[in-house]
Amino acid sequence: MTAALRRLSPPSLAQQLRAAPAMTRPLMLEIIAHACRRFPPLGQSERSARIMRLVDVEAWADAALALIDLELPMWQVRRIAYDEGEWHCALSRERELPDWLDAAVEAHHADLALALLSAFVEVQALTAESARPSVPTVRPAIDPLYEPVACDNFG
């Protein structure tokens, strides 16, 4: 999880999702507020209005899928499976690749919406990390006593 996402919410969103027994409106609104970069202000987009209508009627899984579609256009749901009391969800950029070649992000939870949103938050953290340059930029400290000197010897 990136420092940016952790800094926005004291217990990280991933921890909150893992600890939550079921999806709630306040938790969904916190995810939208802190993990969504493309979500336009209410009323400015039909897609955001649709997501808010789904939240209003507590259609959590549909809202999670719509949020993934809006926020992660390059990612797709690769797998949703229910096994031994838990939902397992995988999001992938290359859904058609075999499992062993794909770098899917997987999450699991007893609640389907929380499993989907856990994977979503992990992808958001992963894409936020990869968006930063690999080499940190450092501003040179300007020394008031520094004066460039030409040292070429043409003799």
Side-chain angles (χ1 to χ4, degrees):
M1 188 83 147
T2 66
L5 286 177
R6 270 185 261 148
R7 193 175 43 234
L8 290 174
S9 55
S12 77
L13 288 176
Q15 291 171 340
Q16 288 181 32
L17 290 169
R18 278 191 297 273
M23 178 52 71
T24 62
R25 181 181 173 82
L27 182 55
M28 179 61 94
L29 295 177
E30 185 170 351
I31 291 166
I32 290 170
H34 295 301
C36 295
R37 293 177 230 140
R38 297 175 184 235
F39 198 87
L42 296 179
Q44 289 189 0
S45 161
E46 176 56 35
R47 294 170 83 184
S48 66
R50 178 177 176 262
I51 291 170
M52 292 313 297
R53 285 192 304 271
L54 291 168
V55 169
D56 289 341
V57 297
E58 298 182 1
W60 303 125
D62 290 336
L65 290 168
L67 202 56
I68 290 168
D69 185 47
L70 173 68
E71 289 286 322
L72 303 172
M74 302 298 291
W75 291 76
Q76 299 173 341
V77 176
R78 179 177 179 87
R79 181 178 53 252
I80 297 175
Y82 186 76
D83 187 34
E84 296 184 12
E86 283 196 326
W87 288 97
H88 297 264
C89 300
L91 299 179
S92 171
R93 291 189 70 171
E94 301 291 336
R95 189 171 72 180
E96 303 305 319
L97 286 177
D99 280 347
W100 60 276
L101 281 176
D102 189 20
V105 173
E106 298 188 31
H108 59 90
H109 197 282
D111 184 273
L112 175 58
L114 290 171
L116 285 164
L117 289 168
S118 294
F120 166 75
V121 167
E122 290 300 319
V123 170
Q124 286 290 65
L126 179 70
T127 57
E129 255 177 31
S130 65
R132 288 185 280 159
S134 60
V135 178
T137 56
V138 178
R139 283 190 186 172
I142 298 175
D143 185 354
L145 300 177
Y146 172 77
E147 186 175 327
V149 177
C151 298
D152 292 335
N153 184 0
F154 297 107

